[in-house]
Amino acid sequence: MFEKDANYIAEFTYMDLAGRKVSIAPRRFTVDQTAPKGEIVVDGQKNSAESWRTVSFSLFQRDAYQIQITGEDVTAGVASVKYYCSKRPLSEEDVKNLPSKEWVKGDAFAVNPDQQCIVYGKVEDLAGNICFLYPVSGMITECSEPKIKMTLEGEKSGGVYRGDVTVKIEAEDLQAGDTYSGIQQVFYHVAAEENVQADKEEILFQKEDHQTRGKARWEGAVVIPAEVFNSNDVRVQVTVKDFAGNEKTENKEKIAIDITPPILHVQYDDQMPVNGNYYRKATITVHERNFDEKTLKIQAGSSEGRQPISGEWTRQEGGKNTDQDTYVCTMLFREDGVYKLSLNCTDKAGNQTIYENDDVFVIDQTAPVIRVSYQEQTERTKGYYHKPRTAVISIQEKNFRPEDVAIKITAVLDGEEQKAPEIGMFTSEGVDSETSSQNREREAVHRATILYDKDGTYTFNVSYTDLAGNMAKEYPEDRFTIDRTSPSVEICGEQVCK
């Protein structure tokens, strides 16, 4: 009875009682009751257990896996090595009951990219003993990049955000060949170098456990604070890595965030205004990074509806601090009128600045006109009048101030200086007319009277400079005599005069 495992050589000899001998040639046979041994080797590393265990996918890489199935039997020797590649974990019973046709004969093969595989092995010796090989880990090989979708949300106008910007991120490890390794890490970086210097980076998601594959999708959001990233060149970079080592980077560049309102300045030319409010040219300066000429509202008309002449806008860059980019425009006020200048500037992001100054000024290039008429014009001898005389002074001027009228009167009687007559108060007509500036200039008339009712020789002169500094044409001096006293006649004889 051969009970022990061994390779035997049996030779039999038989001799009968007569001494005759018969020999049987040596026979070789093997007794092997022990199952063979073997291993599953993945890329040179053992990936097999002594017995069946629960298996998960925990091996990940981009390239193909090289698989080897080894078999060893010290007694009978190995008859065959076979393998079965499953896409899902199998129970011990499932493995042992696999049909023979499912097993693939061979001791080496490759698991190519975009496949998942749990390798089971089967080693059979020449004695018919079978050893099943059970894996420790399933493997996934994947060479497809993850997919990233970024969506920006926030208050936006004209392509510029006015406040914080929310970046919604959707990451997906796309299925290829019925498999995926799963997302291992989501990382983002935001930076700005224009107008501000700011930088921030953060890991948004990371799966530390490598014993199971990651999730196929991840969604999250980050907020870009406008106070920190107040720039027209904000760049966001999101990187997603899967467990197989595939990496995808998505960029969003030139994100514009602007929370700075425009700064407005108005400067008038060097021509010194007379009496504080008479200008010729205004220079408007706007400090703004996202200037939009179309949204700058300028009201600069006169009460007569006349408009200034506006020049083209010019730009001067402010360097890295682009909030100091400067836009300049000049406005020329050439026609007479009462003007009011108001500004309202809204940048592309919707930030608004209102020019707070109440600039009201007058353009007046028309000289006043002085006329003097006399109600008593009858004269017997040129320059001599025998009745009281009333002078009417008329000044045609829309920007009139009576205290600026210079009137000089002298009165002399019999060689002695006399008190000059009083000048009446000025009355005005046509000042509040709604007509045009030129018509109103003609209609705005201011009158005062002077009564000459005492005997004497008078001189009269008048001059006037309006509020804008325009001087009336020089008025020629008037000289005349009032003589209301009848002459006396004396008749004289030799001694007596009567």
Side-chain angles (χ1 to χ4, degrees):
M1 185 74 175
F2 299 92
E3 294 183 346
K4 292 185 177 181
D5 287 5
N7 291 309
Y8 294 93
I9 299 176
E11 182 179 352
F12 297 94
T13 301
Y14 174 72
M15 183 182 294
D16 62 13
L17 294 174
R20 290 176 294 188
K21 183 177 176 180
V22 177
S23 297
I24 299 175
R27 300 288 182 90
R28 294 177 180 273
F29 64 92
T30 299
V31 175
D32 187 354
Q33 304 175 78
T34 303
K37 295 180 179 179
E39 288 184 348
I40 301 171
V41 179
V42 177
D43 286 348
Q45 301 294 321
K46 181 181 177 181
N47 185 41
S48 55
E50 297 296 330
S51 60
W52 181 90
R53 63 166 63 182
T54 301
V55 178
S56 63
F57 291 99
S58 57
L59 295 178
F60 310 98
Q61 68 181 36
R62 299 180 71 251
D63 302 323
Y65 285 103
Q66 300 301 321
I67 313 299
Q68 287 183 311
I69 309 296
T70 65
E72 179 186 6
D73 189 272
V74 296
T75 304
V78 175
S80 66
V81 175
K82 298 178 181 180
Y83 66 88
Y84 177 73
C85 186
S86 176
K87 292 184 178 181
R88 60 178 181 84
L90 299 178
S91 67
E92 184 176 13
E93 184 180 357
D94 289 339
V95 174
K96 290 181 177 180
N97 291 331
L98 277 172
S100 297
K101 63 180 182 180
E102 298 290 338
W103 291 98
V104 179
K105 189 174 183 179
D107 60 1
F109 66 99
V111 178
N112 293 315
D114 296 332
Q115 292 186 30
Q116 66 181 38
C117 182
I118 300 176
V119 179
Y120 296 91
K122 181 180 180 182
V123 180
E124 185 174 355
D125 64 17
L126 292 171
N129 299 300
I130 296 175
C131 172
F132 290 97
L133 304 178
Y134 300 103
V136 174
S137 302
M139 65 200 76
I140 292 177
T141 172
E142 178 191 9
C143 62
S144 300
E145 291 181 341
K147 180 182 177 182
I148 303 172
K149 180 182 178 182
M150 282 193 286
T151 305
L152 305 182
E153 294 183 354
E155 185 180 352
K156 188 178 183 182
S157 173
V160 183
Y161 291 92
R162 191 180 175 184
D164 295 348
V165 178
T166 299
V167 183
K168 289 190 173 181
I169 304 168
E170 298 178 39
E172 182 178 5
D173 192 25
L174 297 173
Q175 185 167 301
D178 296 328
T179 190
Y180 65 92
S181 62
I183 297 171
Q184 181 186 16
Q185 185 185 79
V186 180
F187 173 86
Y188 98 101
H189 177 219
V190 57
E193 294 182 358
E194 178 259 13
N195 197 54
V196 296
Q197 304 290 315
D199 190 281
K200 182 182 179 182
E201 58 186 28
E202 183 181 352
I203 295 175
L204 302 175
F205 170 78
Q206 182 157 311
K207 185 176 184 295
E208 300 289 351
D209 176 19
H210 287 236
Q211 297 306 308
T212 57
R213 65 174 152 194
K215 57 176 68 176
R217 288 181 57 85
W218 179 88
E219 295 183 4
V222 294
V223 176
I224 303 175
E227 289 286 346
V228 179
F229 294 93
N230 187 25
S231 169
N232 278 10
D233 189 26
V234 180
R235 303 180 304 280
V236 176
Q237 184 180 82
V238 174
T239 301
V240 177
K241 297 179 182 179
D242 66 18
F243 273 97
N246 300 295
E247 185 175 304
K248 175 69 174 179
T249 298
E250 193 75 26
N251 295 288
K252 287 283 189 182
E253 298 184 350
K254 295 293 183 181
I255 301 171
I257 301 175
D258 189 352
I259 59 172
T260 306
I263 299 174
L264 302 178
H265 294 290
V266 178
Q267 183 176 2
Y268 297 94
D269 62 356
D270 293 333
Q271 178 179 331
M272 293 299 293
V274 178
N275 300 307
N277 62 346
Y278 296 82
Y279 306 96
R280 297 293 184 186
K281 183 175 73 174
T283 300
I284 300 172
T285 303
V286 182
H287 297 286
E288 170 55 44
R289 174 162 32 107
N290 294 296
F291 177 72
D292 188 354
E293 180 183 342
K294 296 178 182 178
T295 61
L296 177 65
K297 297 180 181 178
I298 302 178
Q299 293 182 340
S302 70
S303 54
E304 298 83 3
R306 300 186 182 277
Q307 297 295 322
I309 299 174
S310 297
E312 297 292 331
W313 285 95
T314 61
R315 180 191 178 203
Q316 181 178 352
E317 294 185 357
K320 285 191 174 182
N321 184 5
T322 50
D323 275 341
Q324 293 302 312
D325 283 1
T326 302
Y327 296 83
V328 179
C329 175
T330 58
M331 305 189 77
L332 182 62
F333 299 87
R334 295 198 310 180
E335 299 189 54
D336 287 6
V338 180
Y339 291 86
K340 181 176 181 179
L341 178 61
S342 62
L343 302 175
N344 184 332
C345 184
T346 303
D347 64 17
K348 291 180 180 179
N351 302 299
Q352 185 183 63
T353 297
I354 298 175
Y355 181 62
E356 298 293 344
N357 294 0
D358 187 14
D359 290 349
V360 178
F361 54 91
V362 175
I363 298 299
D364 184 359
Q365 303 175 86
T366 305
V369 177
I370 298 175
R371 296 183 179 88
V372 179
S373 61
Y374 293 90
Q375 293 178 355
E376 175 56 61
Q377 297 292 343
T378 303
E379 54 184 356
R380 294 291 183 92
T381 303
K382 183 175 178 59
Y384 290 86
Y385 299 88
H386 67 282
K387 291 183 179 180
R389 200 177 192 206
T390 301
V392 180
I393 305 168
S394 299
I395 299 178
Q396 185 177 307
E397 170 58 44
K398 64 178 179 295
N399 298 303
F400 179 77
R401 189 164 60 184
E403 54 264 38
D404 295 333
V405 180
I407 298 175
K408 183 179 180 181
I409 301 174
T410 64
V412 177
L413 181 62
D414 296 333
E416 295 184 2
E417 186 175 339
Q418 304 295 311
K419 181 181 179 182
E422 293 185 356
I423 303 168
M425 295 182 61
F426 277 93
T427 60
S428 300
E429 295 178 6
V431 175
D432 297 325
S433 172
E434 296 295 331
T435 57
S436 69
S437 177
Q438 292 180 348
N439 289 337
R440 200 172 75 229
E441 181 74 43
R442 292 193 294 267
E443 293 177 2
V445 178
H446 314 273
R447 294 184 178 88
T449 60
I450 304 172
L451 176 62
Y452 299 92
D453 60 353
K454 298 185 183 300
D455 288 1
T457 299
Y458 296 90
T459 63
F460 167 82
N461 206 331
V462 58
S463 63
Y464 178 67
T465 301
D466 68 15
L467 290 171
N470 300 301
M471 184 180 296
K473 182 179 179 181
E474 183 178 357
Y475 182 79
E477 181 181 77
D478 286 340
R479 178 182 288 271
F480 57 90
T481 298
I482 300 295
D483 185 356
R484 300 175 62 189
T485 304
S486 299
S488 60
V489 179
E490 292 184 355
I491 301 174
C492 297
E494 293 182 355
Q495 297 292 330
V496 179
C497 291
K498 297 183 179 178

